[in-house]
């Protein structure tokens, strides 16, 4: 995996960034905004995943086309009719533009989530919410730890059953029954083991004192600065949205807030700067790395 | 007691004030923000369940049992790799709800959805799925409390579980898809999504029906056995339900 310098910042910063980027991505239907969001989220996913991004981008392209071309079939409103569908409903240009926006917003949210899944590992999530929800985050930690262990145990149970001739892959019914037997066996083993774990936790002082986290992140100066910049940009975007900088209507007639609206320009600049933060950090880091290496 | 009162106050505040406010704002803003609005409402509905669970500070045994059941619901699919479309997750969540009560049922369902998304990837669907699977565990547990669903009436329990998936859980999952993928929420797009979801929901319902029919009794018995064997029903545990 490539180094992602944005993910080395405090998890609170990463989380704030993704929440804001995803919510904005869901809301802003103005073409300039959704297109820049798609471009910048793609740039970030490529900067983290490198070549591995190709597959996900291809899938998302297909999804984008499907959502944008299918959506206009469900409305007949709009002034410019492009063609008639076989069953007689008009397919309008306005609806197509609306569909493109819907597809773009859908895809950009998925792209941000693709980056989120790379950057926000479960231990970062638990670091953030462990204090707020101690019991739930502990249960979540245990589930994440138990899932691979249960998968291993399940393979052992299947192996043991094979040894005594219970292969169970003759027809569908016997396969289902075999699966049920494996699940039931796994449950008894897991519940017994769970009680022992719980008693061990109890005797080691579960619930006494403060909860600690696996990874410890400190809020450094650079984190505070970045957080300040992010909050400032978010506020500017919100202010411009509030003043109608992203006003958009597609149906029945396309009406956009144009470049003559100062709030649209300001909001656009703030939005692009905000979304470019992680990619820019990665690029700066790479350039600095090559620069330092060239001096050796 | 005091913290209980505060929790109840927060619950009332959320349900009576915050949710209508969110809906009203979304209505005023317009722009068809179905998905964002629905996700915020889902999260607000889940908060009281989670708060209640936290305030009770459950014992280690209860936490581990919940984690084990949620992990089993997550991995159970792997036991049926040979059978296509056979995903017993909702069935196992319902059984856990029947055995452990509504609150644990909701937590198990929601955390199962959340944890399995750590494997398959988090997405905008996460809050919806958490709420829907939590609801599945919760409803099954409520029906079990009324004596409608129990391991003693296998056929009835299985049929009700299958119907629950077909009529409530499946359509809710389709609604998530509808809000997420199409901006044009109207009769036509709704019909298209729900009709195309019908076969998937029918399979899902049938699978849940079979899972409940076969597994409800053994898993319930195993949980009861654990309770007796380790004295979890007696005074050692200040909390109810487990």
């Amino acid at each position: 995996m490539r180094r992602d310098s944005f993910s080395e910042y405090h998890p609170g910063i990463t989380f704030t960034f993704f929440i804001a980027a995803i919510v904005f991505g869901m809301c802003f239907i103005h073409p300039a905004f959704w297109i820049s969001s798609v471009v910048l989220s793609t740039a970030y996913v490529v900067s983290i995943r490198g070549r591995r991004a190709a597959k996900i981008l291809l899938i998302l392209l297909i999804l984008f086309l499907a959502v944008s071309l299918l959506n206009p079939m469900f409305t007949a409103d709009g002034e410019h009719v492009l063609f008639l569908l076989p069953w007689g409903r008009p397919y309008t240009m306005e609806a197509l533009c609306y569909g493109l926006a819907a597809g773009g917003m859908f895809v950009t949210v998925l792209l941000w989530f693709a980056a989120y899944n790379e950057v926000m590992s479960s231990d970062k999530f638990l670091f953030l919410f462990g204090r707020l929800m101690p019991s739930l985050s502990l249960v979540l930690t245990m589930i994440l730890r138990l899932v691979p262990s249960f998968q291993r145990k399940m393979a052992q149970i299947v192996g043991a059953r094979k040894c005594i001739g219970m292969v169970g892959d003759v027809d569908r019914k016997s396969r289902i029954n075999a699966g049920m037997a494996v699940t039931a066996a796994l449950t008894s083993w897991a519940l017994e083991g769970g009680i022992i774990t719980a008693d061990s936790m109890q005797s080691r002082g579960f619930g006494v004192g403060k909860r600690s986290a696996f990874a410890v992140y400190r809020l450094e100066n650079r984190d505070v600065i970045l957080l300040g910049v992010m909050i400032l940009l978010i506020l500017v975007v919100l202010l411009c949205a509030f003043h109608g900088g992203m006003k958009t209507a597609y149906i029945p007639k396309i009406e956009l807030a144009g470049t003559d609206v100062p709030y649209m320009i300001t909001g656009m600049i703030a939005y692009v700067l905000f979304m470019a933060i992680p990619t820019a950090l990665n690029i700066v880091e790479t350039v600095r790395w090559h620069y330092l290496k060239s001096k050796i | 007691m005091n913290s209980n009162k505060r929790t109840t106050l927060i619950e009332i505040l959320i349900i009576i004030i915050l949710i209508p406010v969110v809906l009203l704002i979304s209505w005023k803003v317009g722009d068809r923000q179905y998905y964002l609005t629905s996700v915020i409402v889902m999260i607000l509905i889940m908060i009281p369940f989670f708060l209640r669970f936290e305030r009770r500070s459950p014992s280690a045994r209860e936490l581990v049992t919940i984690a084990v059941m949620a992990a089993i619901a997550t991995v159970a699919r792997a036991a049926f790799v040979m059978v296509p479309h056979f995903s017993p997750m909702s069935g196992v969540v319902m059984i856990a709800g029947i055995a452990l009560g509504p609150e644990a049922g909701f937590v198990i369902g929601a955390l199962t959805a959340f944890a399995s998304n750590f494997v398959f990837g988090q997405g905008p669907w996460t809050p919806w799925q958490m709420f829907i699977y939590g609801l599945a565990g919760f409803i099954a547990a409520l029906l079990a409390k009324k004596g409608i669903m129990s391991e003693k009436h296998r056929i009835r329990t299985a049929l009700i579980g299958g119907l629950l998936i077909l009529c409530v859980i499946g359509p809710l999952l389709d609604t998530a898809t509808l809000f997420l993928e199409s901006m044009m929420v109207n009769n036509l797009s709704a019909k298209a999504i729900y009709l195309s979801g019908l076969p998937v929901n029918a399979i899902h319902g049938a699978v849940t029906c079979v899972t409940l029919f076969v597994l409800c009794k053994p898993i319930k018995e195993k949980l009861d056995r654990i309770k007796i064997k380790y004295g979890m029903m007696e005074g050692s545990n200040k909390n109810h339900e487990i």
Side-chain angles (χ1 to χ4, degrees):
Chain A
M1 190 184 155
R2 296 185 172 200
R3 270 174 81 81
D4 174 35
S5 44
F6 183 60
S7 69
E8 284 158 18
Y9 282 78
H10 191 272
I13 297 206
T14 326
F15 195 71
T16 316
F17 174 82
F18 280 113
I19 292 294
I22 288 164
V23 169
F24 286 160
M26 279 182 187
C27 288
F28 296 156
I29 193 169
H30 192 291
F33 285 82
W34 74 254
I35 291 173
S36 55
S37 177
V38 169
V39 170
L40 286 164
S41 51
T42 311
Y44 185 39
V45 170
V46 171
S47 87
I48 322 173
R49 293 177 68 119
R51 282 219 193 95
R52 287 187 305 132
K55 197 177 144 199
I56 191 173
L57 290 179
L58 187 71
I59 296 172
L60 287 179
L61 181 68
I62 296 168
L63 261 179
F64 170 70
L65 290 176
V67 171
S68 10
L69 298 180
L70 284 179
N71 255 315
M73 292 189 183
F74 300 116
T75 181
D77 303 330
E79 287 180 341
H80 301 85
V81 177
L82 292 178
F83 55 88
L84 286 178
L85 291 165
W87 51 90
R89 283 178 76 94
Y91 194 97
T92 65
M93 210 227 342
E94 283 79 6
L96 181 62
C97 291
Y98 197 42
L100 286 173
M105 289 158 73
F106 180 55
V107 164
T108 194
V109 169
L110 292 186
L111 278 164
W112 286 128
F113 266 109
Y116 175 96
N117 286 326
E118 295 274 324
V119 173
M120 278 298 278
S121 50
S122 52
D123 68 294
K124 284 189 185 174
F125 185 86
L126 292 168
F127 169 81
L128 278 183
F129 292 95
R131 301 263 164 77
L132 201 63
M133 308 180 288
S135 304
L136 283 167
S137 62
L138 178 65
V139 174
L140 186 63
T141 320
M142 286 195 282
I143 298 172
L144 292 174
R145 169 235 180 281
L146 288 174
V147 164
S149 125
F150 284 5
Q151 277 165 344
R152 279 197 297 276
K153 189 69 189 175
M154 198 176 260
Q156 284 173 6
I157 296 172
V158 171
R161 285 171 56 85
K162 268 185 191 155
C163 281
I164 55 168
M166 311 278 277
V167 182
D169 54 358
V170 195
D171 56 0
R172 178 178 297 216
K173 198 180 166 218
S174 68
R175 280 179 195 166
I176 290 177
N177 277 333
M180 294 291 178
V182 171
T183 312
L186 179 71
T187 311
S188 350
W189 173 83
L191 285 173
E192 294 268 340
I195 294 294
I196 294 171
T197 310
D199 287 353
S200 167
M201 283 162 63
Q202 200 74 51
S203 55
R204 285 165 206 230
F206 167 75
V208 181
K210 260 191 179 170
R211 179 70 56 79
S212 61
F214 165 67
V216 181
Y217 299 91
R218 280 190 318 132
L219 206 61
E220 291 168 31
N221 277 338
R222 58 167 199 176
D223 295 321
V224 176
I225 294 169
L226 189 63
L227 189 65
V229 172
M230 270 169 47
I231 289 176
L232 186 75
L233 290 174
I234 292 174
L235 287 178
V236 172
V237 172
L238 286 178
L239 190 80
C240 294
F242 188 73
H243 283 283
M246 292 86 176
K247 241 196 167 62
T248 314
Y250 286 101
I251 293 169
K253 195 171 170 230
I254 297 180
E255 277 168 25
L256 302 173
T259 43
D260 50 326
V261 184
Y263 284 114
M264 187 260 162
I265 298 290
T266 325
M268 183 73 197
I269 293 169
Y271 190 45
V272 167
L273 284 177
F274 173 73
M275 290 187 301
I277 288 174
T279 324
L281 285 174
N282 280 347
I283 291 173
V284 168
E285 197 63 26
T286 317
V287 169
R288 187 189 289 162
W289 173 250
H290 282 289
Y291 174 67
L292 289 176
K293 214 164 69 173
S294 68
K295 287 216 298 197
I296 299 174
Chain B
M1 273 296 109
N2 206 359
S3 73
N4 266 346
K5 252 186 199 162
R6 211 164 72 198
T7 314
T8 321
L9 197 73
I10 296 175
E11 281 166 16
I12 292 171
L13 199 77
I14 288 177
I15 291 168
I16 296 186
I17 300 174
L18 272 179
I19 293 180
V21 165
V22 170
L23 292 176
L24 196 74
I25 290 175
S26 154
W27 184 264
K28 285 271 172 208
V29 173
D31 274 358
R32 303 169 163 245
Q33 295 298 347
Y34 299 106
Y35 200 77
L36 191 63
T37 313
S38 65
V39 162
I40 295 174
V41 170
M42 297 276 126
I43 293 172
L44 286 176
I45 297 174
M46 281 191 285
I47 288 175
F49 283 97
F50 290 153
L51 264 184
R52 223 150 236 261
F53 186 71
E54 286 293 348
R55 289 283 157 166
R56 211 154 54 73
S57 38
S59 68
R61 282 181 170 181
E62 186 174 354
L63 291 181
V64 175
T65 312
I66 286 176
V68 164
M69 288 316 293
I72 287 181
T74 313
V75 299
R77 171 84 188 96
F80 301 91
V81 276
M82 309 286 284
V83 194
H85 306 299
F86 200 99
S87 164
M89 184 171 128
S90 337
V92 177
V93 166
M94 283 183 177
I95 296 171
I98 291 171
L100 302 174
E103 198 187 63
F106 187 88
V107 170
I108 289 172
L111 288 184
T112 304
F114 193 42
S116 61
N117 278 338
F118 270 110
V119 183
F120 299 113
Q122 303 287 355
W125 46 79
T126 304
W128 266 92
Q129 286 185 348
M130 286 176 71
F131 172 74
I132 292 170
Y133 284 105
L135 195 68
F138 185 73
I139 295 177
L142 284 187
L143 291 177
K145 263 199 167 167
K146 297 269 176 213
I148 300 171
M149 277 175 107
S150 83
E151 80 281 6
K152 289 181 195 102
H153 312 284
R154 288 166 72 190
I155 298 175
R156 187 168 66 185
T157 307
L159 286 179
I160 291 174
L163 278 178
L164 206 59
I165 296 289
L166 187 66
C167 306
V168 182
I169 305 300
L172 275 175
L173 287 165
D174 292 339
T175 311
T177 318
L178 174 70
F179 284 174
L180 186 61
E181 287 181 6
S182 72
M183 309 276 316
M184 288 142 200
V185 177
N186 55 27
N187 274 337
L188 201 65
S189 64
K191 222 188 271 171
I193 293 269
Y194 287 121
L195 280 180
S196 65
L198 200 60
V200 179
N201 293 336
I203 294 174
H204 191 182
V207 167
T208 308
C209 190
V210 174
T211 312
L212 280 169
F213 183 73
V214 182
L215 280 185
C216 189
K217 195 158 181 240
I219 292 188
K220 178 80 185 353
E221 278 174 359
K222 285 171 211 293
L223 278 164
D224 288 344
R225 195 181 106 85
I226 289 286
K227 284 181 194 168
I228 296 166
K229 185 174 173 188
Y230 294 99
M232 282 165 76
M233 300 297 279
E234 291 145 32
S236 70
N237 199 328
K238 62 180 189 294
N239 298 314
H240 40 282
E241 281 177 356
I242 290 188

